[in-house]
Amino acid sequence: MQSASEMAERLLAGDRAALARSISWAENADPRYPGLLGSIYPRVGKAWRIGITGPPGAGKSTLTNALVAHLRERGETVGILAIDPSSPFSGGALLGDRIRMEERTADPGVYIRSMASRKSHGGLARAATDACDVMDAFGFSTILMETVGVGQSEYDVVAAADTVVVVMCPGAGDGIQAMKAGILEVADVLVVNKSDLDGADRLALDLEDAVRMRDIRRPRDLAASARWAPPVVSTSATGAGDGIDALLEAVDAHRAWLEAADLEASRRHRRVDQVRRVVGERLEEELWGPRGKREQAETLLGNSKTPYDVAEEILNSVLESRTGAGPDAGDRTSTPGDASR
Amino acid sequence: MSERKIRVLVGKPGLDGHDRGAKTIAAVLRDHGMEVIYTGLHQTPEMIAETALQEDVDVVGLSILSGAHMTLFPRVREELEKRGMAHVLLTGGGIISAEDMEELSKLGFSKLFGPGTPTEEIANWIQSTMEERWKNEEVSR
C-alpha cells in the first residue's frame, strides 16, 4: 500500500503513473487523498484553468484538441480533464472524448484524463477541482476541463475554472436559447463553433446582442466595479482550425483582465466552494452512510411523526453532540482562507 | 461518498476496421456499472498502454479480428510492463484459435473470449475477477 507522502513525492518528481493514481484517489474519496493534497498544496495555483462547456455535439472535444495543438506550439504543457455523464440507471459510463484527441496520446507534454460524472452533485465538482489541483501541482501550465453543459453539477464544474468558455453551434436553437439562465452568466468567452455552417453569423450576432443587453460580470467573485463583457469568437475546429488563434487571444485577454481585477479574490471564492463541498460530503456520509441515521429516522417515523419533525430531531441530536464535543467545537470559527463574507 | 468503479479500457489494436464487437462490449460493460474508456480504432500497442496509464484503468480489453493477435497482444503486454502497469487485468476477444488462447494465457491473457460468447459472461467474469482482487487488496492493507 502506497502512503500519501510516497505518492506526493512521486507526483512532484514527475511520475505520470502517480499523477493518474492520485486523481483516482480524489475520485474515489480515498482516505489518503487529504494527506496527499496537504503535501502538494504549496505547488498548487500556477496553472491557468480553462473550463469548456456547451451542449452535446457542439464540438467541445474537437475544439479542445485544436486548443491543445496551439498551446503546445507556444510551449505550454497541458492537462485535460474530459467529463462525460454516468448512466443514472447502471452507474456505468462510456467515456469517448479521447477519440477526438488521440494524436495527443503520445505527447509527453499532454495528459488526458476521462472522468465520469457519477451520481452526486457536489461530488463531481469536488472531484474535478481535486483533479485540477493534482494536475496543477504536477506542473502543467494550462488545464482544460471539458464537460457537457447541462444542469447544475456541470455548471459547478466549469465555474471552478479561471476562464469559462461556452461553446455553441448553429442549428441548435436561436439566440433566445443563449439568453436562458446560466449560459451567459457563466461564460467569459463565447464560441460559435462550426462557423462554416449556415446560421453561424446569425448566432454570433444574436450572442453579441445578448451580451450587450446584460450587465455582465461574475457577481459572486468580484467587486461591483469589475466588468468583463464576454467576447464572441467564431471557430471551425476541424481541419485548419479557423479562429483558434482568436479564441486563445480572447482567453489571454480574460486572463490579463482577471489578474488585473482580482484573481486572488476569485480563486479564494472557489476554495471556499470546495470547502463547502467537502463539508457537505462528509456530513452526508456521517448522516446517511453505513453508520448513519437511517434506522433512527425509520423508528421515529413509525411514531406517526412527520418528516419535518424527524428531521428536526435528528438535526438537534447532531448539533448537540457537536457542541458538547469539546476539541471539535473550537474549529468552527476558523474557516480557512476567507474572512470577508 | 463515491464507491470505487471498475475502469476498463476497450480498444482495437492494429489495422482492423471492425469495431462493432468492441462497441457492443463497451456498451455492455457500461450497463454493468463499469466506467469504459473507449479508444476507437487503429491503436498501436504504445497508445493503448499509454492510455491505460493516463486513465489508471483496472482492466484492458482488446478486440481483434485481423488475425494479428499473436503479434499485437504480447506487444501490448510489453508496453504495459514498460510503464509499470503489469497489474492491469488483461483480456480480449476476436477470432482466436484455442492453441493461440493457450499460448496467450501464459502471457497474462488469462481469459479470452471467442465468437458467440454471451456478453453477460464477459461482464460477469471481469466483475468477479476484479472483486476478488480488491478483496485481496483489502486484506493486505
Side-chain angles (χ1 to χ4, degrees), chain A residues 64-111:
Chain A
T64 302
N65 188 45
L67 267 179
V68 175
H70 284 239
L71 287 165
R72 291 295 289 141
E73 263 171 40
R74 65 185 206 191
E76 301 212 31
T77 55
V78 190
I80 301 159
L81 187 66
I83 299 168
D84 269 335
S86 296
S87 158
F89 303 105
S90 71
L94 193 50
L95 309 170
D97 287 329
R98 295 188 74 98
I99 296 175
R100 307 262 173 277
M101 307 179 216
E102 75 176 14
E103 67 215 75
R104 301 282 145 217
T105 302
D107 183 343
V110 176
Y111 171 83

mmCIF file of all heavy atoms in Angstrom, chain A residues 64-111:
data_model
loop_
_atom_site.group_PDB
_atom_site.id
_atom_site.type_symbol
_atom_site.label_atom_id
_atom_site.label_comp_id
_atom_site.label_asym_id
_atom_site.label_seq_id
_atom_site.Cartn_x
_atom_site.Cartn_y
_atom_site.Cartn_z
ATOM 1 N N THR A 64 -11.254 21.410 -28.031
ATOM 2 C CA THR A 64 -10.216 21.196 -27.021
ATOM 3 C C THR A 64 -8.944 20.693 -27.686
ATOM 4 O O THR A 64 -7.844 21.185 -27.417
ATOM 5 C CB THR A 64 -10.695 20.177 -25.963
ATOM 6 O OG1 THR A 64 -11.891 20.675 -25.364
ATOM 7 C CG2 THR A 64 -9.645 19.965 -24.889
ATOM 8 N N ASN A 65 -9.105 19.723 -28.575
ATOM 9 C CA ASN A 65 -7.956 19.172 -29.282
ATOM 10 C C ASN A 65 -7.215 20.256 -30.077
ATOM 11 O O ASN A 65 -5.985 20.335 -30.043
ATOM 12 C CB ASN A 65 -8.433 18.054 -30.215
ATOM 13 C CG ASN A 65 -7.276 17.306 -30.839
ATOM 14 O OD1 ASN A 65 -6.319 16.965 -30.147
ATOM 15 N ND2 ASN A 65 -7.352 17.085 -32.139
ATOM 16 N N ALA A 66 -7.983 21.110 -30.757
ATOM 17 C CA ALA A 66 -7.368 22.193 -31.535
ATOM 18 C C ALA A 66 -6.655 23.185 -30.612
ATOM 19 O O ALA A 66 -5.554 23.663 -30.920
ATOM 20 C CB ALA A 66 -8.438 22.906 -32.361
ATOM 21 N N LEU A 67 -7.266 23.467 -29.468
ATOM 22 C CA LEU A 67 -6.647 24.377 -28.492
ATOM 23 C C LEU A 67 -5.316 23.811 -27.998
ATOM 24 O O LEU A 67 -4.328 24.545 -27.873
ATOM 25 C CB LEU A 67 -7.573 24.567 -27.293
ATOM 26 C CG LEU A 67 -8.538 25.744 -27.323
ATOM 27 C CD1 LEU A 67 -9.397 25.744 -26.053
ATOM 28 C CD2 LEU A 67 -7.774 27.066 -27.421
ATOM 29 N N VAL A 68 -5.311 22.508 -27.724
ATOM 30 C CA VAL A 68 -4.095 21.879 -27.211
ATOM 31 C C VAL A 68 -2.960 22.040 -28.218
ATOM 32 O O VAL A 68 -1.830 22.373 -27.849
ATOM 33 C CB VAL A 68 -4.333 20.388 -26.893
ATOM 34 C CG1 VAL A 68 -3.024 19.720 -26.490
ATOM 35 C CG2 VAL A 68 -5.349 20.240 -25.779
ATOM 36 N N ALA A 69 -3.280 21.831 -29.510
ATOM 37 C CA ALA A 69 -2.252 21.955 -30.546
ATOM 38 C C ALA A 69 -1.622 23.348 -30.490
ATOM 39 O O ALA A 69 -0.395 23.484 -30.527
ATOM 40 C CB ALA A 69 -2.874 21.692 -31.913
ATOM 41 N N HIS A 70 -2.464 24.386 -30.374
ATOM 42 C CA HIS A 70 -1.939 25.756 -30.343
ATOM 43 C C HIS A 70 -1.170 26.043 -29.058
ATOM 44 O O HIS A 70 -0.148 26.715 -29.072
ATOM 45 C CB HIS A 70 -3.088 26.755 -30.515
ATOM 46 C CG HIS A 70 -3.570 26.848 -31.930
ATOM 47 N ND1 HIS A 70 -3.566 28.028 -32.644
ATOM 48 C CD2 HIS A 70 -4.043 25.906 -32.767
ATOM 49 C CE1 HIS A 70 -4.023 27.795 -33.859
ATOM 50 N NE2 HIS A 70 -4.328 26.525 -33.960
ATOM 51 N N LEU A 71 -1.674 25.535 -27.947
ATOM 52 C CA LEU A 71 -0.980 25.743 -26.671
ATOM 53 C C LEU A 71 0.389 25.073 -26.692
ATOM 54 O O LEU A 71 1.374 25.622 -26.191
ATOM 55 C CB LEU A 71 -1.822 25.189 -25.514
ATOM 56 C CG LEU A 71 -3.059 26.017 -25.141
ATOM 57 C CD1 LEU A 71 -4.002 25.203 -24.246
ATOM 58 C CD2 LEU A 71 -2.658 27.314 -24.438
ATOM 59 N N ARG A 72 0.463 23.883 -27.281
ATOM 60 C CA ARG A 72 1.738 23.168 -27.370
ATOM 61 C C ARG A 72 2.729 23.930 -28.244
ATOM 62 O O ARG A 72 3.924 23.961 -27.956
ATOM 63 C CB ARG A 72 1.526 21.749 -27.919
ATOM 64 C CG ARG A 72 0.791 20.825 -26.985
ATOM 65 C CD ARG A 72 1.572 20.530 -25.720
ATOM 66 N NE ARG A 72 2.731 19.665 -25.953
ATOM 67 C CZ ARG A 72 3.906 19.808 -25.353
ATOM 68 N NH1 ARG A 72 4.103 20.800 -24.497
ATOM 69 N NH2 ARG A 72 4.897 18.978 -25.607
ATOM 70 N N GLU A 73 2.188 24.542 -29.334
ATOM 71 C CA GLU A 73 3.064 25.310 -30.220
ATOM 72 C C GLU A 73 3.749 26.457 -29.491
ATOM 73 O O GLU A 73 4.873 26.816 -29.807
ATOM 74 C CB GLU A 73 2.257 25.877 -31.395
ATOM 75 C CG GLU A 73 2.343 25.020 -32.636
ATOM 76 C CD GLU A 73 1.370 25.479 -33.692
ATOM 77 O OE1 GLU A 73 1.209 26.713 -33.864
ATOM 78 O OE2 GLU A 73 0.739 24.604 -34.319
ATOM 79 N N ARG A 74 3.033 27.039 -28.527
ATOM 80 C CA ARG A 74 3.689 28.124 -27.809
ATOM 81 C C ARG A 74 4.380 27.645 -26.537
ATOM 82 O O ARG A 74 4.663 28.427 -25.628
ATOM 83 C CB ARG A 74 2.743 29.298 -27.573
ATOM 84 C CG ARG A 74 1.567 29.021 -26.683
ATOM 85 C CD ARG A 74 0.671 30.271 -26.657
ATOM 86 N NE ARG A 74 -0.098 30.333 -25.422
ATOM 87 C CZ ARG A 74 -1.091 31.174 -25.228
ATOM 88 N NH1 ARG A 74 -1.439 32.037 -26.163
ATOM 89 N NH2 ARG A 74 -1.751 31.192 -24.077
ATOM 90 N N GLY A 75 4.611 26.338 -26.476
ATOM 91 C CA GLY A 75 5.494 25.797 -25.445
ATOM 92 C C GLY A 75 4.836 25.456 -24.122
ATOM 93 O O GLY A 75 5.523 25.164 -23.142
ATOM 94 N N GLU A 76 3.516 25.463 -24.099
ATOM 95 C CA GLU A 76 2.843 25.142 -22.839
ATOM 96 C C GLU A 76 2.679 23.636 -22.694
ATOM 97 O O GLU A 76 2.672 22.892 -23.668
ATOM 98 C CB GLU A 76 1.473 25.815 -22.808
ATOM 99 C CG GLU A 76 1.571 27.319 -22.929
ATOM 100 C CD GLU A 76 0.469 28.031 -22.181
ATOM 101 O OE1 GLU A 76 0.011 27.499 -21.153
ATOM 102 O OE2 GLU A 76 0.079 29.113 -22.632
ATOM 103 N N THR A 77 2.536 23.199 -21.438
ATOM 104 C CA THR A 77 2.150 21.818 -21.195
ATOM 105 C C THR A 77 0.694 21.838 -20.727
ATOM 106 O O THR A 77 0.250 22.785 -20.084
ATOM 107 C CB THR A 77 3.028 21.167 -20.120
ATOM 108 O OG1 THR A 77 2.991 21.959 -18.936
ATOM 109 C CG2 THR A 77 4.461 21.055 -20.605
ATOM 110 N N VAL A 78 -0.037 20.777 -21.066
ATOM 111 C CA VAL A 78 -1.486 20.826 -20.887
ATOM 112 C C VAL A 78 -2.017 19.567 -20.207
ATOM 113 O O VAL A 78 -1.722 18.445 -20.635
ATOM 114 C CB VAL A 78 -2.198 20.972 -22.257
ATOM 115 C CG1 VAL A 78 -3.680 21.264 -22.051
ATOM 116 C CG2 VAL A 78 -1.557 22.067 -23.097
ATOM 117 N N GLY A 79 -2.793 19.757 -19.166
ATOM 118 C CA GLY A 79 -3.556 18.666 -18.547
ATOM 119 C C GLY A 79 -5.018 18.821 -18.931
ATOM 120 O O GLY A 79 -5.537 19.925 -18.913
ATOM 121 N N ILE A 80 -5.631 17.716 -19.292
ATOM 122 C CA ILE A 80 -7.023 17.777 -19.759
ATOM 123 C C ILE A 80 -7.894 16.855 -18.919
ATOM 124 O O ILE A 80 -7.568 15.692 -18.699
ATOM 125 C CB ILE A 80 -7.125 17.335 -21.233
ATOM 126 C CG1 ILE A 80 -6.259 18.238 -22.117
ATOM 127 C CG2 ILE A 80 -8.583 17.361 -21.718
ATOM 128 C CD1 ILE A 80 -5.892 17.604 -23.433
ATOM 129 N N LEU A 81 -9.016 17.393 -18.467
ATOM 130 C CA LEU A 81 -9.998 16.585 -17.757
ATOM 131 C C LEU A 81 -11.261 16.570 -18.598
ATOM 132 O O LEU A 81 -11.897 17.607 -18.801
ATOM 133 C CB LEU A 81 -10.275 17.207 -16.377
ATOM 134 C CG LEU A 81 -11.163 16.401 -15.444
ATOM 135 C CD1 LEU A 81 -10.468 15.109 -15.036
ATOM 136 C CD2 LEU A 81 -11.527 17.217 -14.214
ATOM 137 N N ALA A 82 -11.611 15.397 -19.124
ATOM 138 C CA ALA A 82 -12.777 15.272 -20.000
ATOM 139 C C ALA A 82 -13.884 14.537 -19.254
ATOM 140 O O ALA A 82 -13.746 13.363 -18.933
ATOM 141 C CB ALA A 82 -12.399 14.513 -21.268
ATOM 142 N N ILE A 83 -14.956 15.256 -18.979
ATOM 143 C CA ILE A 83 -16.019 14.685 -18.151
ATOM 144 C C ILE A 83 -17.208 14.277 -19.025
ATOM 145 O O ILE A 83 -17.652 15.037 -19.881
ATOM 146 C CB ILE A 83 -16.464 15.707 -17.085
ATOM 147 C CG1 ILE A 83 -15.285 16.049 -16.181
ATOM 148 C CG2 ILE A 83 -17.635 15.151 -16.274
ATOM 149 C CD1 ILE A 83 -15.515 17.237 -15.291
ATOM 150 N N ASP A 84 -17.680 13.059 -18.828
ATOM 151 C CA ASP A 84 -18.864 12.562 -19.527
ATOM 152 C C ASP A 84 -19.856 12.047 -18.488
ATOM 153 O O ASP A 84 -19.459 11.645 -17.398
ATOM 154 C CB ASP A 84 -18.474 11.410 -20.479
ATOM 155 C CG ASP A 84 -18.140 11.911 -21.876
ATOM 156 O OD1 ASP A 84 -18.620 12.988 -22.259
ATOM 157 O OD2 ASP A 84 -17.393 11.210 -22.590
ATOM 158 N N PRO A 85 -21.137 12.023 -18.852
ATOM 159 C CA PRO A 85 -22.132 11.605 -17.862
ATOM 160 C C PRO A 85 -22.097 10.109 -17.554
ATOM 161 O O PRO A 85 -21.794 9.296 -18.419
ATOM 162 C CB PRO A 85 -23.470 11.979 -18.517
ATOM 163 C CG PRO A 85 -23.182 12.096 -19.974
ATOM 164 C CD PRO A 85 -21.742 12.497 -20.100
ATOM 165 N N SER A 86 -22.426 9.779 -16.306
ATOM 166 C CA SER A 86 -22.665 8.388 -15.921
ATOM 167 C C SER A 86 -24.132 8.070 -16.173
ATOM 168 O O SER A 86 -24.982 8.951 -16.110
ATOM 169 C CB SER A 86 -22.384 8.188 -14.427
ATOM 170 O OG SER A 86 -21.038 8.405 -14.130
ATOM 171 N N SER A 87 -24.431 6.798 -16.431
ATOM 172 C CA SER A 87 -25.825 6.390 -16.554
ATOM 173 C C SER A 87 -26.489 6.421 -15.182
ATOM 174 O O SER A 87 -25.975 5.837 -14.229
ATOM 175 C CB SER A 87 -25.908 4.973 -17.117
ATOM 176 O OG SER A 87 -27.153 4.406 -16.782
ATOM 177 N N PRO A 88 -27.641 7.106 -15.068
ATOM 178 C CA PRO A 88 -28.337 7.101 -13.780
ATOM 179 C C PRO A 88 -28.909 5.727 -13.467
ATOM 180 O O PRO A 88 -29.287 5.452 -12.332
ATOM 181 C CB PRO A 88 -29.448 8.131 -13.960
ATOM 182 C CG PRO A 88 -29.618 8.298 -15.428
ATOM 183 C CD PRO A 88 -28.323 7.928 -16.080
ATOM 184 N N PHE A 89 -28.973 4.846 -14.450
ATOM 185 C CA PHE A 89 -29.577 3.528 -14.219
ATOM 186 C C PHE A 89 -28.542 2.507 -13.781
ATOM 187 O O PHE A 89 -28.694 1.855 -12.774
ATOM 188 C CB PHE A 89 -30.280 3.058 -15.489
ATOM 189 C CG PHE A 89 -31.318 4.037 -15.949
ATOM 190 C CD1 PHE A 89 -31.090 4.858 -17.042
ATOM 191 C CD2 PHE A 89 -32.508 4.179 -15.244
ATOM 192 C CE1 PHE A 89 -32.039 5.783 -17.443
ATOM 193 C CE2 PHE A 89 -33.462 5.103 -15.639
ATOM 194 C CZ PHE A 89 -33.234 5.911 -16.731
ATOM 195 N N SER A 90 -27.454 2.378 -14.544
ATOM 196 C CA SER A 90 -26.464 1.351 -14.208
ATOM 197 C C SER A 90 -25.312 1.907 -13.383
ATOM 198 O O SER A 90 -24.585 1.162 -12.750
ATOM 199 C CB SER A 90 -25.903 0.731 -15.489
ATOM 200 O OG SER A 90 -25.063 1.655 -16.163
ATOM 201 N N GLY A 91 -25.127 3.223 -13.413
ATOM 202 C CA GLY A 91 -23.977 3.804 -12.733
ATOM 203 C C GLY A 91 -22.716 3.728 -13.572
ATOM 204 O O GLY A 91 -21.681 4.261 -13.197
ATOM 205 N N GLY A 92 -22.793 3.059 -14.720
ATOM 206 C CA GLY A 92 -21.635 2.960 -15.603
ATOM 207 C C GLY A 92 -21.535 4.164 -16.521
ATOM 208 O O GLY A 92 -22.388 5.042 -16.515
ATOM 209 N N ALA A 93 -20.465 4.207 -17.302
ATOM 210 C CA ALA A 93 -20.276 5.334 -18.212
ATOM 211 C C ALA A 93 -19.452 4.898 -19.408
ATOM 212 O O ALA A 93 -18.595 4.016 -19.301
ATOM 213 C CB ALA A 93 -19.590 6.488 -17.499
ATOM 214 N N LEU A 94 -19.736 5.515 -20.536
ATOM 215 C CA LEU A 94 -18.922 5.295 -21.727
ATOM 216 C C LEU A 94 -18.170 6.592 -21.989
ATOM 217 O O LEU A 94 -18.771 7.616 -22.285
ATOM 218 C CB LEU A 94 -19.828 4.929 -22.907
ATOM 219 C CG LEU A 94 -19.171 4.366 -24.150
ATOM 220 C CD1 LEU A 94 -18.220 3.221 -23.809
ATOM 221 C CD2 LEU A 94 -20.240 3.851 -25.112
ATOM 222 N N LEU A 95 -16.851 6.553 -21.840
ATOM 223 C CA LEU A 95 -16.047 7.764 -21.907
ATOM 224 C C LEU A 95 -15.283 7.754 -23.229
ATOM 225 O O LEU A 95 -14.352 6.975 -23.405
ATOM 226 C CB LEU A 95 -15.090 7.819 -20.711
ATOM 227 C CG LEU A 95 -15.769 7.613 -19.342
ATOM 228 C CD1 LEU A 95 -14.742 7.430 -18.241
ATOM 229 C CD2 LEU A 95 -16.692 8.772 -19.012
ATOM 230 N N GLY A 96 -15.703 8.604 -24.155
ATOM 231 C CA GLY A 96 -15.136 8.519 -25.501
ATOM 232 C C GLY A 96 -14.463 9.779 -25.997
ATOM 233 O O GLY A 96 -14.146 9.898 -27.180
ATOM 234 N N ASP A 97 -14.221 10.737 -25.092
ATOM 235 C CA ASP A 97 -13.650 12.008 -25.542
ATOM 236 C C ASP A 97 -12.229 11.883 -26.069
ATOM 237 O O ASP A 97 -11.779 12.702 -26.864
ATOM 238 C CB ASP A 97 -13.664 13.032 -24.400
ATOM 239 C CG ASP A 97 -15.068 13.543 -24.133
ATOM 240 O OD1 ASP A 97 -15.853 13.610 -25.097
ATOM 241 O OD2 ASP A 97 -15.375 13.864 -22.983
ATOM 242 N N ARG A 98 -11.529 10.852 -25.619
ATOM 243 C CA ARG A 98 -10.132 10.691 -26.054
ATOM 244 C C ARG A 98 -10.016 10.470 -27.547
ATOM 245 O O ARG A 98 -8.975 10.757 -28.133
ATOM 246 C CB ARG A 98 -9.490 9.492 -25.356
ATOM 247 C CG ARG A 98 -9.333 9.601 -23.887
ATOM 248 C CD ARG A 98 -8.498 8.426 -23.394
ATOM 249 N NE ARG A 98 -7.113 8.630 -23.762
ATOM 250 C CZ ARG A 98 -6.206 9.121 -22.926
ATOM 251 N NH1 ARG A 98 -6.531 9.430 -21.703
ATOM 252 N NH2 ARG A 98 -4.967 9.297 -23.328
ATOM 253 N N ILE A 99 -11.078 9.903 -28.155
ATOM 254 C CA ILE A 99 -11.020 9.593 -29.582
ATOM 255 C C ILE A 99 -10.686 10.848 -30.394
ATOM 256 O O ILE A 99 -9.913 10.793 -31.343
ATOM 257 C CB ILE A 99 -12.362 8.984 -30.047
ATOM 258 C CG1 ILE A 99 -12.586 7.648 -29.337
ATOM 259 C CG2 ILE A 99 -12.375 8.786 -31.560
ATOM 260 C CD1 ILE A 99 -13.928 7.017 -29.616
ATOM 261 N N ARG A 100 -11.258 11.994 -29.973
ATOM 262 C CA ARG A 100 -11.006 13.243 -30.696
ATOM 263 C C ARG A 100 -9.598 13.791 -30.447
ATOM 264 O O ARG A 100 -9.187 14.767 -31.048
ATOM 265 C CB ARG A 100 -12.007 14.312 -30.264
ATOM 266 C CG ARG A 100 -13.423 13.905 -30.364
ATOM 267 C CD ARG A 100 -14.077 14.402 -31.641
ATOM 268 N NE ARG A 100 -15.410 13.833 -31.738
ATOM 269 C CZ ARG A 100 -15.675 12.625 -32.207
ATOM 270 N NH1 ARG A 100 -14.705 11.862 -32.666
ATOM 271 N NH2 ARG A 100 -16.899 12.165 -32.227
ATOM 272 N N MET A 101 -8.924 13.216 -29.472
ATOM 273 C CA MET A 101 -7.612 13.772 -29.093
ATOM 274 C C MET A 101 -6.519 12.729 -29.209
ATOM 275 O O MET A 101 -5.466 12.858 -28.587
ATOM 276 C CB MET A 101 -7.663 14.277 -27.641
ATOM 277 C CG MET A 101 -8.790 15.242 -27.362
ATOM 278 S SD MET A 101 -8.770 15.750 -25.625
ATOM 279 C CE MET A 101 -10.505 15.864 -25.284
ATOM 280 N N GLU A 102 -6.752 11.660 -29.988
ATOM 281 C CA GLU A 102 -5.824 10.525 -29.905
ATOM 282 C C GLU A 102 -4.412 10.876 -30.363
ATOM 283 O O GLU A 102 -3.459 10.272 -29.924
ATOM 284 C CB GLU A 102 -6.379 9.295 -30.611
ATOM 285 C CG GLU A 102 -6.323 9.359 -32.105
ATOM 286 C CD GLU A 102 -6.818 8.044 -32.724
ATOM 287 O OE1 GLU A 102 -7.423 7.213 -32.028
ATOM 288 O OE2 GLU A 102 -6.595 7.866 -33.923
ATOM 289 N N GLU A 103 -4.293 11.890 -31.231
ATOM 290 C CA GLU A 103 -2.943 12.262 -31.678
ATOM 291 C C GLU A 103 -2.113 12.844 -30.524
ATOM 292 O O GLU A 103 -0.901 12.984 -30.642
ATOM 293 C CB GLU A 103 -3.029 13.260 -32.830
ATOM 294 C CG GLU A 103 -3.578 14.605 -32.443
ATOM 295 C CD GLU A 103 -4.420 15.247 -33.562
ATOM 296 O OE1 GLU A 103 -5.556 14.822 -33.774
ATOM 297 O OE2 GLU A 103 -3.921 16.162 -34.198
ATOM 298 N N ARG A 104 -2.777 13.170 -29.415
ATOM 299 C CA ARG A 104 -2.071 13.739 -28.253
ATOM 300 C C ARG A 104 -1.573 12.669 -27.294
ATOM 301 O O ARG A 104 -0.861 12.984 -26.340
ATOM 302 C CB ARG A 104 -2.990 14.682 -27.483
ATOM 303 C CG ARG A 104 -3.522 15.833 -28.279
ATOM 304 C CD ARG A 104 -2.467 16.916 -28.440
ATOM 305 N NE ARG A 104 -2.625 17.509 -29.745
ATOM 306 C CZ ARG A 104 -1.637 17.913 -30.507
ATOM 307 N NH1 ARG A 104 -0.397 17.788 -30.098
ATOM 308 N NH2 ARG A 104 -1.871 18.428 -31.681
ATOM 309 N N THR A 105 -2.015 11.420 -27.492
ATOM 310 C CA THR A 105 -1.724 10.372 -26.509
ATOM 311 C C THR A 105 -0.233 10.220 -26.260
ATOM 312 O O THR A 105 0.206 10.022 -25.135
ATOM 313 C CB THR A 105 -2.313 9.019 -26.977
ATOM 314 O OG1 THR A 105 -3.717 9.193 -27.165
ATOM 315 C CG2 THR A 105 -2.081 7.932 -25.960
ATOM 316 N N ALA A 106 0.556 10.328 -27.325
ATOM 317 C CA ALA A 106 1.985 10.058 -27.193
ATOM 318 C C ALA A 106 2.791 11.300 -26.807
ATOM 319 O O ALA A 106 3.996 11.219 -26.619
ATOM 320 C CB ALA A 106 2.522 9.485 -28.501
ATOM 321 N N ASP A 107 2.139 12.446 -26.686
ATOM 322 C CA ASP A 107 2.844 13.701 -26.380
ATOM 323 C C ASP A 107 3.138 13.785 -24.877
ATOM 324 O O ASP A 107 2.223 13.816 -24.065
ATOM 325 C CB ASP A 107 1.941 14.872 -26.819
ATOM 326 C CG ASP A 107 2.609 16.222 -26.609
ATOM 327 O OD1 ASP A 107 3.599 16.298 -25.854
ATOM 328 O OD2 ASP A 107 2.118 17.202 -27.196
ATOM 329 N N PRO A 108 4.422 13.794 -24.510
ATOM 330 C CA PRO A 108 4.751 13.818 -23.074
ATOM 331 C C PRO A 108 4.363 15.126 -22.385
ATOM 332 O O PRO A 108 4.317 15.188 -21.159
ATOM 333 C CB PRO A 108 6.267 13.610 -23.051
ATOM 334 C CG PRO A 108 6.739 14.008 -24.415
ATOM 335 C CD PRO A 108 5.611 13.748 -25.361
ATOM 336 N N GLY A 109 4.051 16.150 -23.158
ATOM 337 C CA GLY A 109 3.624 17.425 -22.569
ATOM 338 C C GLY A 109 2.124 17.527 -22.369
ATOM 339 O O GLY A 109 1.604 18.586 -22.008
ATOM 340 N N VAL A 110 1.429 16.417 -22.619
ATOM 341 C CA VAL A 110 -0.038 16.424 -22.507
ATOM 342 C C VAL A 110 -0.479 15.224 -21.688
ATOM 343 O O VAL A 110 0.046 14.122 -21.834
ATOM 344 C CB VAL A 110 -0.694 16.361 -23.905
ATOM 345 C CG1 VAL A 110 -2.206 16.278 -23.794
ATOM 346 C CG2 VAL A 110 -0.298 17.568 -24.745
ATOM 347 N N TYR A 111 -1.441 15.447 -20.814
ATOM 348 C CA TYR A 111 -2.047 14.345 -20.066
ATOM 349 C C TYR A 111 -3.561 14.464 -20.196
ATOM 350 O O TYR A 111 -4.117 15.551 -20.006
ATOM 351 C CB TYR A 111 -1.623 14.420 -18.589
ATOM 352 C CG TYR A 111 -2.366 13.458 -17.696
ATOM 353 C CD1 TYR A 111 -1.967 12.126 -17.584
ATOM 354 C CD2 TYR A 111 -3.470 13.879 -16.956
ATOM 355 C CE1 TYR A 111 -2.649 11.248 -16.765
ATOM 356 C CE2 TYR A 111 -4.156 12.998 -16.128
ATOM 357 C CZ TYR A 111 -3.738 11.682 -16.031
ATOM 358 O OH TYR A 111 -4.427 10.809 -15.224
#
